[in-house]
Amino acid sequence: MNNNLFGGVIPPQPPVEAKTDVHVVKSRLEWGEPAFTILDVRDRPVYNEGHIMGAMTMPIDELVDRAVPSLDKSRDIYVYGATEQQTAEAARKLRSAGFEHISELQGGLAAWKAIGGPTEGIIESQTPSGADDYNVVDRLKNHVEAQQKDV
């Protein structure tokens, strides 16, 4: 018997990769895919200034103590920190604690903001929207230009 209430309309999500591009997470959010969590492992005051909308704060020094009792170990978890090194350390800690589906969100908050991902926080609420925030064509153009600069 097929227990999929949507009759195959929503395809199953492939397992998360060890590292994930922000576009993948944004796409999952836009499609309303359930059962994943975004963790911000930066210090709480930095998190309060601005973070990915919906991300949970779990500072790296408290990460395992907070994650183990509150998150399912088979849940898809995307993690980001202040640096790529902090992100990698957080992912290692979570994997060592038995979490199965951990992915490092490449570029963290800066990459997320660069593609127009939704953010929230004290500073983010005071920052006016950019001209391209609501224009998909301009956002894509800006993203392509940014990618070409990185090459």
Side-chain angles (χ1 to χ4, degrees):
M1 180 176 157
N2 183 358
N3 289 330
N4 184 345
L5 297 176
F6 298 103
V9 172
I10 299 175
Q13 183 65 29
V16 297
E17 300 290 330
K19 294 184 179 188
T20 301
D21 183 85
V22 291
H23 291 282
V24 172
V25 177
K26 188 168 185 270
S27 175
R28 285 189 76 179
L29 281 173
E30 288 171 346
W31 279 96
E33 291 184 25
F36 74 92
T37 299
I38 302 170
L39 291 182
D40 184 323
V41 299
R42 301 173 302 154
D43 293 336
R44 182 66 186 229
V46 177
Y47 169 87
N48 288 342
E49 289 176 1
H51 55 272
I52 294 173
M53 186 174 284
M56 295 174 62
T57 179
M58 289 194 186
I60 196 157
D61 55 338
E62 307 168 9
L63 180 59
V64 173
D65 292 338
R66 292 187 59 199
V68 168
S70 60
L71 297 173
D72 187 308
K73 290 192 175 182
S74 64
R75 188 171 187 83
D76 289 355
I77 299 173
Y78 298 96
V79 61
Y80 73 96
T83 64
E84 295 296 326
Q85 293 79 15
Q86 186 183 51
T87 300
E89 179 185 351
R92 279 192 301 274
K93 285 183 173 191
L94 289 168
R95 288 183 189 111
S96 293
F99 288 90
E100 302 167 13
H101 306 284
I102 304 300
S103 185
E104 299 170 34
L105 191 58
Q106 295 180 306
L109 182 60
W112 183 258
K113 288 167 67 171
I115 65 164
T119 58
E120 57 190 353
I122 297 166
I123 291 176
E124 294 301 316
S125 67
Q126 297 170 353
T127 305
S129 299
D132 67 339
D133 281 357
Y134 304 104
N135 184 323
V136 174
V137 174
D138 281 347
R139 285 187 4 216
L140 289 172
K141 181 179 144 193
N142 289 346
H143 175 71
V144 168
E145 289 171 3
Q147 292 295 321
Q148 290 172 346
K149 289 179 187 175
D150 291 340
V151 174

